[in-house]
Amino acid sequence: MRKITFAAAVVMMAAPLAAQTPPQVTSDLTVTLSQQQYRICNDRPARPAWMNEIHPREAYRVIALMELYEIRAWEVIAGTGDCGCAVRFPDWDSVEGEYRDNYASLTQAEHSAMRREWIDLRKQLEPKVREICEAQGIW
């Protein structure tokens, strides 16, 4: 009797999970050129074209530029208290210029060391930036 009761309990608990519809899986691999949709700030400026065309062995350059971009935006947010979309996702030109002038000629090892410093800086900025952006509904 215990086995039957246990089996019935398992089935009853599993029924709601089984009733959920699975996500639609498709084999359609058609590439669409529609703009990526984000949860917030869909009108973000496009990344520099070279970031999408770079050789995989130099992807560390793209990652470094993305880190720098986020840090510069977060510094402005922390300094001004404004987390509007234009502040959170500014134009890439100034950051790309800074990267090109100061960091583009560095080796991969130097990029890695620099990124570690940037990650530490980003961790310091995150609590304040998160608080500001959550209060404005843009986190």
Side-chain angles (χ1 to χ4, degrees), residues 14-135:
L17 293 175
Q20 293 178 357
T21 58
Q24 295 293 335
V25 178
T26 179
S27 61
D28 180 18
L29 300 176
T30 305
V31 175
T32 60
L33 297 177
S34 62
Q35 189 174 358
Q36 182 175 354
Q37 294 296 304
Y38 301 98
R39 187 179 51 79
I40 58 167
C41 302
N42 279 308
D43 57 344
R44 300 175 186 190
R47 298 184 333 171
W50 69 265
M51 292 175 72
N52 299 324
E53 300 164 357
I54 198 162
H55 190 278
R57 288 188 182 187
E58 295 194 356
Y60 64 91
R61 296 181 187 282
V62 172
I63 295 168
L65 179 57
M66 289 171 56
E67 288 277 350
L68 181 61
Y69 177 80
E70 186 171 57
I71 286 171
R72 294 301 179 245
W74 283 18
E75 288 173 337
V76 173
I77 293 168
T80 64
D82 179 19
C83 190
C85 290
V87 177
R88 180 125 188 240
F89 301 102
D91 193 50
W92 284 86
D93 292 340
S94 64
V95 176
E96 184 182 15
E98 179 184 351
Y99 175 81
R100 191 177 34 247
D101 294 344
N102 301 324
Y103 308 109
S105 63
L106 299 178
T107 65
Q108 185 172 1
E110 291 168 326
H111 268 83
S112 295
M114 175 187 61
R115 281 194 55 236
R116 281 191 292 276
E117 293 174 17
W118 288 348
I119 289 168
D120 289 341
L121 176 57
R122 191 182 56 186
K123 286 179 182 178
Q124 293 171 10
L125 290 169
E126 184 178 2
K128 184 173 184 178
V129 171
R130 181 182 208 120
E131 179 183 336
I132 293 167
C133 292
E134 280 181 343

